[in-house]
Structures are given as C-alpha cells and as structure tokens.
Amino acid sequence: MQKALLIDPDKCTGCLQCEMACSFEHEGRFNPSRSRIRVFTFHHEGCFVPYACTQCADAWCLQACPVEAIVDDRTLGVKRVVDERCVGCKVCTIACPFGTINYSQASGKVIKCDLCGGDPACARACPTTAIRYTDADQTGYEKMRRWAARSITAAEATA
Amino acid sequence: MAWTGKILRVNLSEGTLVAEELNREWADQYLGQRGLATKYLVEEIAPDCDPLGPDNKLILATGPLTGTMASTGGRYSVVTKGPLTGCVACSNSGGFMGNELKNAGWDMIIVEGRSPEPVYLYIENEHAELLPADEIWGTSVWRTDEWLHNRHQDPLLRIAAVGRPAEKGCLYAAIINDLHRAAGRSGVGAVMASKNLKAVAVRGTLGVGNLKDPKRFIEAVDAAKRVLANNAVTGQGLPTYGTQVLMNVINELGALPTDNAREVQFDGAHDISGEAMHEPRPNDGKPNLVRNAGCFGCTIACGRISTIDKGHFTVSHKPEYWGASGGLEYEAAWALGADTGVDDLDALTYANFLCNEDGMDPISLGATIAAAMELTACGALAPERTGGIEFRFGSAEALVKGAEWVARGEGFGLDLALGSKRLCEKYGHPELSMTVKGQEFPAYDPRGIQGMGLTYATSNRGACHLRSYTVASEVLGIPEKTDPLTTDGKPALVKAFQDATAAVDSSGLCVFTTFAWTLEDIAPQIDAACEGDWDVDKLLTVGERIWNMERDFNLRAGIGGDEDRLPERLIKEAAKTGPAKGLVNGLDKMLPEYYELRGWSADGVPRAETRARLGLS
Amino acid sequence: MQHLIVGAGPAGVHAAETLRRLDPDAGILLLSGEAEPPYSRMAIPYLLSRHIDEAGTWLRPSPEHFQRHRIDVRHGLVERIDSTHNRIHLNDGSRLDYDRLLLATGASPRQPPVAGVELPGVLPCWTLEQARAIARRLQPDLPVVLMGAGFIACILLEALLRRGARVTIVEREPHMVPRMMNPTAASMLKRWVEAKGARVLTGHAVELIEPNGDGLRVCLDHGEPLEARLVIPAAGVSPNIGFLRDSGIGLDQGIVVDRHLRTNIDNIFAAGDVAQGPDFSSGGFQVQAIQPTAVEHGRIAATNMTRDGALCHAGSLNMNVLDTLGLISTSFGNWRGAPDGEQVELLDEAGWRYLNLQFDGDHLTGASSLGHSDHIGVARGLIQGRVALGEWKTRLLREPTRLMEAWLARSLAAAPSG
C-alpha cells in the first residue's frame, strides 16, 4: 500500500513547524520560504490549511517538463525533481494546476515535495497530527486531489 | 552562532539605513532580544530623554532561538523608553514577525530620530528602505496590513504596525503584528508613531541556521517539545482554553480584581471565561471560539480565534467584524470584563478586536475604563464629560464606546488615552488609579496572591504579571506550590522568577513554556544553538544582570525605590470576599527582604559589589 | 498497426510513448527532421548560457530510451504525403508506409521580410545546429542585434549577456512581448532589461541588413543604423506546413484538426506547434505553440490513433512563463480580458511586481504577472478548473495575491464529501 500525506486542516494551528522541518530537511536551514509544504491562513474563517504536492497521478509537472527532470518514483508514489536535469525553465510551475511546484531563485531549479524519501519531516514535526503519513486510499486529501484533478481533466473528458 | 550577527540601524531624521555587526561580547552577556536590546538602549539613549521625542530609540529585537524549530521560537521584543512609565519598556510579541526578521538576516532593528514625514520601513532580506506612508497614516493597523500586502504584492509579508491611537499619542498604544499579535504593553506603539514610523514590513527568505550543533539542537528541541506535550497546562489547558483557563480559577481564589479592584471576585466570571468561549451562543448557536492557533513554531497554541455574534449590538451593522480574528486571552478578558464589571462576552470580544485593529493595550484600556467608571461612581465624572454615556460599572455600552473613542482618537477617548494614572489625576482622584509607576496592573489581585504584589511593585516596566509570574507557584504549583495568602518566601520566589524570566525573554522563546519547562529544559536548546557554554547558572546570571541593568536605567531616569509601591487600595482596603477575605497585600514585609536578596541598598539601589559581580559598570 | 509520427519534439515523443503504452504490439516510427537525438528547444538558451551540455537538452536523457520502448527513431525530411496510399515520400527518395500518421512537425522562426537576412551573420536560434553556430561566435563585447522582443528574444537575453555580448533588441511593436503581456507589464519589463544592460528599441523596424566590413549594418526605419557581428531573427514562429500544400490536408494558421486532433483525413492526426488545436479560453481553435499544449496534443492524438475517438479535447489553456534576466513573467488564458469582464491589477514599479486578474462572472478567466512565481500554477487550476469563486471573487478583487487561498477554499469547499 502506498502512503500519502493525510492533511486534516481542522487540527492545524498554523505554527509552521512543518515548514521549518521541511526546509531544514532539504536545505539545512529553517526557512519557511523554501518549504515544499505551505500552510495557508484563512484569517476571516479562522482556519489553517497545510498544502503540498499531492503526487497526483496526472503529474502535470512531470508531463510538462521538456527535459525529463521530474521522474516518477513508483515505489514511493513520488514525483521527484532531478536537480542535475532541471534547467529552471519553470514550465512545470505553470503546468501544475495545484500550484505546488515552485521555482527557487536561489538554486535556479524547481522544488516540490518528495515525501523525504518515505519519512516526511513535516509529518514528524507536526505537533497536532494535522499532517500524517499514512495509507493513501484512506485520505480525505486524496479525495480532494481526485476531485480537483477531475475538474481540470474535464478538459479531456472521455467520450 | 544562532545570531545572524547583523543589526539594522535606521535613522529616521537622516533617512539613513546602515547594517552593523552585532556586538558579540554583549550577546554573550545579554543573550538576545530583551536583554541585548536593553543593553543597546541603555548605552545609546539618555535616561532622562523624552520618551516621545526624537532622542528616544525604538529597538525591535529577536533572540538567538527566534526562527528556529525550538517550540515557541518566534518571539521578538520591542525595547524603548516607555511613555506611560518613563521606565525602560520591553514588550514581547509572538505571531510571525520575529521569525521573519531573523529570516531576513537581522538580529535587531534600531530605530532612531524622527522622520519628517510618515514613513514605513520595508525590509526584504538585506534590502531595507523607508517608503512614504501618506496613504496609511491615519488608518487602522488592519487597513495598513491589507494595504501593504497589496502594495508589495506579497501575501507572506509580515507586518508590524501602529494604529490611530498611537498617532494621537495614546500612552498605551501597542504595536500589532500579524493582525492580532501585540507588543502590547507600556505604550511602545506611541513611541513608534512619535517617530512618524507607521509600520515595519518584512520578508525574509534567507533562512535561519548556523547553529553550533544542529544535531544536538534538534534532539534538545524534540525532547523539550515532548515535555510541553505531556504537561497538563501546556499540553491540554492552554490549547483548549488559552490563558482563559484561569478566569474561573482566579475568581474562586478571590484574586480577580473587579470593579477597578474594589472587589476581588466577579459574579460574571463564568460568563467571560474560557469555558464560556466554548459554549454555543443563544442567538446563532455557535461558540465564541472558532479554534486555537499557534504563533510561529509554537507547539502549545494557546491563541484564541473568535467570532462575535453577528446579531450583537456591537456589530449588527458592521459586517467587517463578522469574520474571525484574535480572541480574548485572560488578561484582556479580565481588564475589559471583570475590572469594568461587564459580563457580555461579545462586547468584550468586540473591544478586543478593536484593540487589535487599532493597536491598544487591552489591559491598560480596560483598567483605564474601569477607573473612569469609579470616577463616575464617586461623582468626579459626569456623563456630559463622557460623551453623554454613563460610565457605570457593568455597562457594556460604556466599554464599547470608550474603546471606539480611544481607537479613533475622539472626544472622551482622548482622556481615556492618557491611561488610568493621568486620568485619575486629571479628575482629582489619583488614589483610584490601579497602577504602579504609571502602568495599570493586570489580572491578579495581590491581596489574594501575595507574591504578585511584590511582582507589580518591583517590575521594571511598571505593573506587570509577566516579569515574575508567581501565579505559577502560588496557584498552579509550578515548579512547587506556595501559599498565595502568605508573604513568606515570596521575595526569593519573585527574584528567582524575575531572573529566569529575563533570560527566557532574551532567548526568542515564549515565557508560557515555563508552565512546563524549567531552565533545565531551556539551557540545552540554547547551548546547542549558541556559541559559548550556556548552562542554567549562566542563564540565571544573565537574567540577574538584565534585571539590574533595567533597574539601573530606571534609577538614572529618576525612578527609584520610592516608586516600588502599590496603589493604596491594595495595602489598605482588605479583600471583602473569598479565601483572601480580610487580607491586604503585605508589600512592606516583602520589599526589604527582596532588596537584600537582590544585593540592593535599603532604598533599592544595586550595591557596588552587586554591580561588580554582574559586570555592570 | 503501423504508426508513423513526423516530428520528434515534445508532441511527437509523448505521442510515441503514449502509443507504446496503449498498444504494446504496434509498430512506431518517429521521424526526426534533425540528425539529433530528440531534444527540447526550450533548453537551448540554457545550453548557450552553459548551464547544461547538449545531453541536457535531450527530451529523454537515457540513450536507450526509445530502443527500450521499441520506438524506431529515424532522421528524414518529408517531401510529400500520399494520403491515398497511406505513404510518405522523403526527400532522399525513400518512402514510408503508415496505418496512422501523426503530423507533429512543429514550427520555425518566421523569416523577416528584410533584405539581407540571408547574410552569413544572420542566424536564428532555433535548432541545436544553429545554437552551436551561435555559441561559436559568441565572445565578450560581440555586438548582437535581436530582431524582435518576443518570448524567444527575452529568453535568449540571459545567455547572450552572460557570454558578454552587447545586445540591442529591435521590436516593431510599441512594446515588448506583445503576445503575453499588456503595455503596463511590458514597459516594466523594458525598464528591467535596460537596467540589466541591454538596449531596447521598441517601435523600430529593421529595413535592411547589409555587409559592413567583417560585420553587418542593421538599418532601421528611423534612427541611427546599428553595427552588429551577429543578428538573431526572433520575430515569432510559424507552423511547418509548407510541405502539406498539395496533400489535401486542411490548413489554416496551422493544420486544421477536430477535437480528436484528427485532420480532415481519417487516419491522419496533428499535434503540437503545427496543429490548430482546441483552445480552452475561446472555445475555438488556435495554434498555441507552447510546451504543455504540445504534450497534451501528443497524448490525446496518440490515444485517438489507437482507440478511435476515445478522447475529446475540450481545449488547451494558453499559458506562458518567461524568465527575462531573472524577472519572471507569466500569462494564463484570457489574460487580455473580455470586453465586459471585470479585472483587478496591482502594480509595483519599484518592486518589479505586477499582477492582473481577469474575471468573467463567477470565474477567473485570465491572469498575467511579473515578479511572481510562488504557487503561480494555481491560476491554471482556477481558470481551467472553472472554479466557481463565489465570495472569493470579491476577496480576490480586494486582495488579488490570495489566489492560492481562493483555490483551496473553493476546491475544498466544493469537493464532494462522499
């Protein structure tokens, strides 16, 4: 069974421990601006929504990459950026309709969630279990991503 | 390391912005944030300068753990000479500002002089500039926040700003960051506005690193987080009820100052308590509390996110207040509620929103309105002086109008903006002001919690609970239970809390961690992050050094031992009800012992050998 | 079943891979017009700037990739198509038979109608071979004239300046990149480019290029002529349809296709820059000539080649991202806006940021930006997902940068709970 990040916004307090953990894991510094997971604040609604790449089956980023710098790691179910291949053209950043692959000016390449190779630092750091790493088929997040993906792929509706 | 090693010095008179190296020697002696910024302040300003004049300086300072994964490590402090007290003022805030400043590569910003025109300070990593604030001057913090986000097209810009009361000279104006976190006390917002500085907007993308031993740091931080999670107060009480977990507890203890401290228990306490914030409202069936929220890096998450009943008289015609925002914490609920005798949770929440929207300290605001109510009760203030509204205890209308007038700088609001001390003096009853050194005391009656009397009397920034929160010991039994009704042992307790707190306030961590953490939990985190050897003893010495430095500044500013006093009421009028019935505060028994323990003379001046021991000149 | 794909760009390669996935037994022949491994033109600027080597431009880095997938990659140029006999004739006289044919022949730089463009110092930068030629010439202080200030010109600037060239851009239109940004954004871009050290002459047309000693002289319709050692025409591209003139295949701006990407001839399909495919925003058909559309085309066409009419394409969203010397610009969908639509715009001249959102009723229909890159793809999600914005439209009109929040709020809110 593949695992995925299960995100429960109801439990999120907006503390950004996940963003620090993510950036520390990938960059060796506490730098939320370089985190692959982001917590969005809905001030008026009083809610916080952590959000990262859903490793979607459509893999818009992977498909759009002109030099195969994004690969599908099937054992983990992860779409991973191969830094040595990425030229920084940013086409994936506009192709991903979820806005979860971003260009990093510092490295000149794109960055996205890679599930930390199977032990996501964000889930470990979350103090409220708002982010868990668990079986993929039971995640509400999964449902959301399918719905969101469907709303886009309606453009390619099967006849 | 952990420090970035860089200070931004902004001279508003000259319009210059200069990067300086951090004084590492001082960092080793004063750690960061409160301690280190105060060191810079006392070295750089004349103690007798006008707090609202160009010679005062305003320092925004992070601690070495700010911006790290240490739980609660997002704090910053604003240090200046305070206009309410004339003392050194240090207001600590959470939210996301401190972290951002650190991520932009700065330990500290020192703001000097006074800009000829309203400006705001924009910082994007190493780039810093002063930009015109004409379009936001005269607007609220919330409006300023939205304008700046749009102006710079950056939803992640972190903003600290002052509102209209600060511009109009309200002496307890706060600096608000992230819409509802506040450097709240002592009028630091008034100082910022006096410099024609409307806001500081920061975006940092450099990251925080350079830890001495990253692996050990992560281990220490993880261990300390487990302590917070497993502690009843930080793991359950605070996330569930916030600091409002205290309302019913303190009321039952007979230590809830009510009606401007005429009483020590409030009939309406439950109605404004943390528990009540969870209860469905009759009108819309929704609870006041939407959820709890954390500041940057905080694994406690005591913050309240609340709504007001849309049908409530305060907002029924103001949809702009129908959304969620920062809700009541205990001090605000007490000041705006028990102290004014108002038990209307929606009215309190609305007044609290106004405090956030426009930058006012809710403790001072509530306590000043309470004083106006007592002035009214004794006939010194007639409704024609108070905008046609009778400031009677229990009047939600008076509370709300008072808050609105101060927010807008209108009418009687200009009197209320003076704070309790000056208001009571103006209307001929100085004895009705519940203040120490000009600052309103907070939500613990020193008749019912004796140690808090000494805490208020000796606090270096005027009456304050956060300088030595003996409530932890006297009420909650942390680290060990002491009897709240006796003065025995309290001077030592107060000194120990004062020194430890000064160290915590200088680290980048939140003092609320100390419900669960001792310095034994904190020292390993600092030691793994910072150059040098940081053990408990060193932290206590740093804390004591900071305390004495602050005291020294106040002495040089002309505020000495004769100001280490409490309002007459607390030492002459006995508590009428509750466990403390018949008691007054025994400050006179505690103060001499405290001075002795501190190594101060009988009139409260640090002795030469004390200075020498702490390395103070 | 024999599939023949003409053109080894992204559309052709994705089509070939899709065909292999859907039809393990089919014969697949991928005909490349250049004697190179299939590569990406998008990567050429990074080759010129020496960020990557030639292998870094390859669409598939593994040399065995096509062999492993039993995709027969050959080099050859098509002379004509004989659709009656399901056969193509190559210019070397050979012939290839097909059951299904996919035309993915891409586009080429438009030849400016200017005397002198045939001179040796005038070199487009479109193919690897041309890039090699330009790379050989580049040297510090080399005076270079870029004819056109469009997408390609902008993306080449980085490489040219990095290699020390002195660049002048000549653009006939009054502003830069007219196909992806409005005058407000374009004037900011022009200031940026000038601040970075290139000269930009908008509203100028090249009238003549003539030899001048060892170099060239570029004469303009007004103003001083420009001295150059290298002139790079970069005034847009046109679909490669010349060889189809007498094929009986319907042509307009590009190859005319239906929503299955099928041409007027039943077993001939078209994809990528050459195809006038369905456009999401207008509901009509247009040549988009962008990478994501080429990929979509390749997949959809291939699917329909093996599973007759299985996929009906509702339209590709026209979108672009451009990095001009570090200033990132994007455009999505109907970024120009509809005549009776609503729009909101934020402009920060000093901070090099611009954001423009276009709405039609309850929906976001277009967006363009400068200086924004975080989460920008969500503009596509909102537009192409036809996300009903509800109260978030008002929020976006007030705070346009909250696109991501709008997406999360509206997509989560509308997600079925079952």
Side-chain angles (χ1 to χ4, degrees):
Chain A
M1 175 65 65
Q2 265 178 5
K3 289 175 140 192
L5 288 176
L6 167 62
I7 292 183
D8 182 354
D10 286 346
K11 288 183 179 163
C12 178
T13 64
C15 76
L16 308 192
Q17 280 280 346
C18 55
E19 294 191 2
M20 276 190 286
C22 179
S23 58
F24 193 72
E25 176 81 21
H26 291 95
E27 319 263 340
R29 291 172 78 78
F30 305 113
N31 188 350
S33 73
R34 301 268 284 154
S35 173
R36 280 75 172 154
I37 189 166
R38 289 284 178 88
V39 178
F40 291 88
T41 300
F42 293 79
H43 184 76
H44 293 278
E45 292 78 5
C47 91
F48 306 95
V49 181
Y51 194 59
C53 171
T54 60
Q55 316 296 344
C56 68
D58 291 282
W60 310 85
C61 59
L62 183 154
Q63 299 287 355
C65 178
V67 293
E68 206 177 337
I70 302 173
V71 295
D72 189 354
D73 176 342
R74 293 214 168 82
T75 49
L76 275 178
V78 160
K79 313 298 181 294
R80 191 164 48 80
V81 178
V82 183
D83 280 351
E84 304 73 51
R85 292 282 306 167
C86 177
V87 298
C89 77
K90 307 166 199 67
V91 170
C92 56
T93 70
I94 59 167
C96 169
F98 310 113
T100 51
I101 185 163
N102 285 316
Y103 178 66
S104 163
Q105 205 104 36
S107 66
K109 298 176 188 303
V110 291
I111 55 176
K112 72 178 286 298
C113 172
D114 59 1
L115 295 176
C116 299
D119 183 17
C122 55
R124 264 184 285 138
C126 179
T128 63
T129 68
I131 305 168
R132 289 192 292 139
Y133 187 54
T134 186
D135 290 348
D137 72 337
Q138 52 171 263
T139 69
Y141 190 49
E142 186 78 358
K143 233 177 286 171
M144 189 203 98
R145 98 183 190 190
R146 277 202 302 267
W147 177 85
R150 196 160 59 240
S151 70
I152 310 287
T153 43
E156 295 181 18
T158 304
Chain B
M1 299 275 276
W3 300 277
T4 71
K6 270 171 63 193
I7 292 177
L8 177 64
R9 187 178 293 276
V10 180
N11 187 308
L12 294 168
S13 303
E14 308 290 333
T16 55
L17 303 99
V18 181
E20 285 179 14
E21 266 195 51
L22 182 76
N23 186 322
R24 298 286 184 157
E25 204 178 314
W26 289 356
D28 190 60
Q29 291 167 344
Y30 296 94
L31 190 53
Q33 205 179 347
R34 172 176 163 190
L36 192 52
T38 306
K39 175 64 178 170
Y40 273 90
L41 187 82
V42 303
E43 293 288 337
E44 294 192 8
I45 70 165
D48 60 352
C49 74
D50 173 3
L52 298 179
D55 294 337
N56 194 6
K57 297 188 183 185
L58 184 84
I59 305 179
L60 281 69
T62 64
L65 298 192
T66 304
T68 71
M69 267 182 91
S71 183
T72 77
R75 312 292 301 187
Y76 78 105
S77 288
V78 181
V79 176
T80 187
K81 178 176 172 170
L84 197 59
T85 59
C87 300
V88 64
C90 172
S91 282
N92 184 308
S93 181
F96 299 84
M97 187 71 194
N99 154 66
E100 202 69 22
L101 196 53
K102 196 78 174 281
N103 259 279
W106 305 102
D107 287 318
M108 212 183 271
I109 308 173
I110 301 178
V111 180
E112 312 174 335
R114 174 189 213 144
S115 170
E117 302 292 337
V119 290
Y120 66 96
L121 174 60
Y122 176 73
I123 298 173
E124 190 178 355
N125 297 334
E126 51 286 315
H127 171 82
E129 63 180 321
L130 293 167
L131 294 168
D134 316 339
E135 290 189 55
I136 39 177
W137 195 258
T139 70
S140 72
V141 171
W142 288 0
R143 174 76 197 110
T144 297
D145 190 277
E146 183 179 317
W147 188 87
L148 285 170
H149 279 120
N150 274 342
R151 162 73 179 75
H152 293 283
Q153 298 178 43
D154 188 351
L156 287 177
L157 199 60
R158 304 296 188 185
I159 293 159
V162 295
R164 294 170 289 183
E167 295 174 18
K168 298 272 177 95
C170 170
L171 294 174
Y172 48 86
I175 298 171
I176 303 288
N177 56 277
D178 304 290
L179 296 174
H180 59 97
R181 305 307 314 183
R185 299 228 68 190
S186 309
V188 294
V191 176
M192 185 158 144
S194 76
K195 300 190 170 305
N196 267 329
L197 181 63
K198 179 66 178 176
V200 178
V202 185
R203 180 71 192 279
T205 60
L206 303 176
V208 174
N210 304 329
L211 306 176
K212 187 172 76 184
D213 185 342
K215 187 167 173 290
R216 186 152 62 85
F217 180 74
I218 294 294
E219 285 163 6
V221 158
D222 284 348
K225 282 180 191 162
R226 285 194 292 276
V227 173
L228 292 177
N230 295 330
N231 177 279
V233 177
T234 51
Q236 293 159 36
L238 286 174
T240 309
Y241 296 111
T243 53
Q244 272 275 64
V245 70
L246 287 167
M247 182 63 76
N248 287 318
V249 175
I250 301 297
N251 189 46
E252 276 156 35
L253 208 67
L256 187 69
T258 300
D259 293 356
N260 201 36
R262 292 202 300 198
E263 310 287 338
V264 294
Q265 289 184 308
F266 180 42
D267 287 343
H270 174 79
D271 295 336
I272 62 169
S273 68
E275 289 83 348
M277 289 168 72
H278 278 272
E279 292 163 8
R281 293 183 286 241
N283 195 40
D284 62 2
K286 291 179 184 160
N288 173 284
L289 186 73
V290 178
R291 66 159 306 114
N292 67 323
C295 293
F296 181 83
C298 177
T299 58
I300 303 172
C302 73
R304 304 291 91 184
I305 304 294
S306 288
T307 58
I308 304 166
D309 179 350
K310 290 174 188 160
H312 191 262
F313 79 90
T314 49
V315 300
S316 57
H317 300 294
K318 298 173 191 162
E320 64 269 30
Y321 296 102
W322 290 356
S325 195
L328 293 162
E329 52 97 39
Y330 171 61
E331 306 299 329
W334 161 78
L336 301 168
D339 204 33
T340 63
V342 176
D343 60 5
D344 178 339
L345 188 60
D346 283 305
L348 269 53
T349 305
Y350 173 68
N352 196 60
F353 278 16
L354 295 184
C355 286
N356 291 331
E357 181 182 18
D358 254 304
M360 302 177 282
D361 171 11
I363 299 178
S364 288
L365 174 70
T368 303
I369 290 174
M373 287 172 167
E374 189 161 3
L375 287 167
T376 302
C378 74
L381 254 184
E384 48 268 29
R385 304 298 297 267
T386 57
I389 293 196
E390 190 191 351
F391 270 61
R392 118 188 106 64
F393 282 118
S395 167
E397 190 191 13
L399 169 72
V400 163
K401 285 291 176 201
E404 287 176 347
W405 293 335
V406 180
R408 293 176 200 145
E410 293 173 359
F412 184 56
L414 294 172
D415 276 352
L416 291 172
L418 297 169
S420 163
K421 175 170 180 268
R422 290 165 179 83
L423 178 80
C424 292
E425 281 168 355
K426 178 170 178 175
Y427 290 99
H429 290 274
E431 76 286 0
L432 297 183
S433 170
M434 297 298 117
T435 52
V436 177
K437 301 185 177 76
Q439 177 157 291
E440 294 75 11
F441 71 70
Y444 311 89
D445 197 298
R447 291 166 291 197
I449 306 174
Q450 291 286 323
M452 292 307 280
L454 185 60
T455 288
Y456 295 164
T458 58
S459 161
N460 285 326
R461 68 167 184 177
C464 171
H465 55 299
L466 291 170
R467 287 296 174 269
S468 48
Y469 194 67
T470 61
V471 175
S473 167
E474 295 179 276
V475 180
L476 303 170
I478 300 167
E480 56 196 25
K481 185 78 172 76
T482 53
D483 181 354
L485 300 180
T486 170
T487 57
D488 294 348
K490 297 301 162 59
L493 188 68
V494 166
K495 176 183 181 294
F497 270 79
Q498 285 173 339
D499 293 347
T501 303
V504 174
D505 284 349
S506 303
S507 67
L509 303 175
C510 176
V511 74
F512 286 4
T513 56
T514 59
F515 284 116
W517 288 350
T518 66
L519 290 182
E520 300 280 355
D521 300 291
I522 293 172
Q525 302 183 62
I526 298 177
D527 187 60
C530 298
E531 274 169 5
D533 296 314
W534 295 86
D535 57 16
V536 171
D537 285 345
K538 176 162 176 174
L539 288 175
L540 282 172
T541 303
V542 166
E544 187 178 8
R545 183 180 295 129
I546 293 166
W547 191 266
N548 280 273
M549 166 179 64
E550 291 172 343
R551 176 74 172 187
D552 248 351
F553 177 88
N554 289 348
L555 288 166
R556 288 190 289 132
I559 298 155
D562 53 343
E563 300 265 358
D564 294 342
R565 286 183 317 203
L566 290 173
E568 291 282 291
R569 173 166 285 165
L570 301 181
I571 49 175
K572 295 220 169 121
E573 296 176 23
K576 293 173 199 153
T577 61
K581 185 174 177 182
L583 283 183
V584 295
N585 183 266
L587 178 65
D588 55 342
K589 289 199 281 290
M590 295 184 282
L591 196 59
E593 187 186 340
Y594 170 83
Y595 283 176
E596 196 51 44
L597 281 170
R598 278 246 167 255
W600 294 356
S601 67
D603 54 353
V605 177
R607 294 199 188 97
E609 58 268 30
T610 304
R611 290 172 198 278
R613 180 169 59 80
L614 296 170
L616 295 166
S617 53
Chain C
M1 179 72 74
Q2 178 63 38
H3 295 290
L4 175 55
I5 300 167
V6 183
V13 166
H14 275 266
E17 291 166 353
T18 306
L19 286 169
R20 175 53 70 230
R21 199 169 60 246
L22 296 178
D23 188 349
D25 302 324
I28 302 171
L29 199 160
L30 183 61
L31 191 65
S32 169
E34 296 172 48
E36 318 274 2
Y39 70 92
S40 168
R41 301 202 197 288
M42 294 210 45
I44 285 179
Y46 305 95
L47 174 68
L48 275 183
S49 63
R50 294 179 171 150
H51 279 97
I52 53 172
D53 58 15
E54 283 200 7
T57 68
W58 296 349
L59 284 166
R60 297 296 174 249
S62 159
E64 301 86 37
H65 174 85
F66 295 100
Q67 206 181 345
R68 199 166 61 238
H69 289 86
R70 288 172 289 121
I71 296 166
D72 184 8
V73 183
R74 290 192 213 166
H75 171 228
L77 288 172
V78 180
E79 199 164 75
R80 65 183 181 88
I81 294 174
D82 177 358
S83 59
T84 320
H85 299 99
N86 293 337
R87 181 174 296 162
I88 64 170
H89 295 261
L90 304 186
N91 66 351
D92 63 2
S94 62
R95 299 176 303 190
L96 294 168
D97 293 331
Y98 62 83
D99 296 308
R100 300 273 188 281
L101 174 64
L102 177 65
L103 298 170
T105 50
S108 300
R110 234 171 265 144
Q111 176 94 327
V114 172
V117 290
E118 72 294 339
L119 289 167
V122 182
L123 273 175
C125 188
W126 187 246
T127 64
L128 260 183
E129 191 47 46
Q130 289 163 343
R132 290 178 195 121
I134 288 175
R136 279 193 298 271
R137 285 164 190 254
L138 280 180
Q139 60 183 48
D141 287 326
L142 186 80
V144 177
V145 169
L146 273 169
M147 291 176 64
F151 188 94
I152 295 164
C154 284
I155 209 160
L156 281 174
L157 271 175
E158 169 99 22
L160 297 174
L161 292 194
R162 189 182 262 263
R163 301 280 292 265
R166 286 188 287 115
V167 180
T168 304
I169 302 171
V170 183
E171 168 64 52
R172 180 187 299 269
E173 298 290 324
H175 65 82
M176 294 178 73
V177 209
R179 283 165 56 86
M180 74 171 281
M181 60 183 77
N182 66 20
T184 308
S187 71
M188 186 187 283
L189 184 72
K190 183 179 173 187
R191 270 199 308 120
W192 174 270
V193 170
E194 287 170 340
K196 294 283 174 182
R199 193 170 165 215
V200 184
L201 302 172
T202 45
H204 283 71
V206 175
E207 294 210 313
L208 170 70
I209 304 170
E210 57 186 17
N212 176 30
D214 290 344
L216 300 164
R217 179 182 291 119
V218 179
C219 301
L220 308 177
D221 58 350
H222 61 283
E224 292 290 305
L226 306 169
E227 305 299 323
R229 307 288 293 209
L230 175 64
V231 174
I232 303 178
V237 297
S238 306
N240 291 324
I241 51 176
F243 70 106
L244 298 173
R245 286 271 134 69
D246 304 314
S247 63
I249 294 171
L251 304 174
D252 182 23
Q253 299 158 10
I255 300 173
V256 173
V257 292
D258 64 14
R259 290 191 178 275
H260 298 98
L261 302 182
R262 192 191 303 263
T263 67
N264 57 319
I265 296 172
D266 240 18
N267 62 342
I268 302 181
F269 296 75
D273 292 7
V274 77
Q276 192 170 332
D279 170 49
F280 173 86
S281 296
S282 63
F285 291 78
Q286 66 172 212
V287 174
Q288 289 184 343
I290 60 171
Q291 163 90 12
T293 298
V295 173
E296 274 174 11
H297 280 186
R299 292 168 62 208
I300 292 169
T303 305
N304 289 329
M305 284 161 76
T306 48
R307 303 190 174 163
D308 203 21
L311 284 182
C312 177
H313 190 23
S316 294
L317 185 69
N318 205 352
M319 55 190 177
N320 270 298
V321 60
L322 174 61
D323 186 336
T324 312
L325 301 169
L327 183 60
I328 297 169
S329 51
T330 71
S331 68
F332 293 88
N334 194 5
W335 57 270
R336 287 187 179 87
D340 49 354
E342 275 174 276
Q343 70 146 0
V344 62
E345 179 178 72
L346 293 176
L347 174 65
D348 178 6
E349 291 272 9
W352 305 104
R353 284 195 186 121
Y354 176 73
L355 182 62
N356 181 306
L357 303 182
Q358 297 289 341
F359 301 89
D360 185 6
D362 201 25
H363 299 101
L364 186 73
T365 52
S368 55
S369 70
L370 255 72
H372 289 270
S373 61
D374 275 7
H375 315 299
I376 195 71
V378 85
R380 177 187 188 184
L382 286 166
I383 295 168
Q384 206 170 357
R386 294 188 202 277
V387 174
L389 291 170
E391 78 276 9
W392 273 90
K393 183 179 169 189
T394 318
R395 294 276 281 273
L396 285 176
L397 285 170
R398 203 168 150 169
E399 297 177 86
T401 60
R402 309 276 178 180
L403 276 179
M404 194 72 188
E405 286 88 343
W407 162 260
L408 287 171
R410 295 308 297 172
S411 64
L412 285 172
S417 55

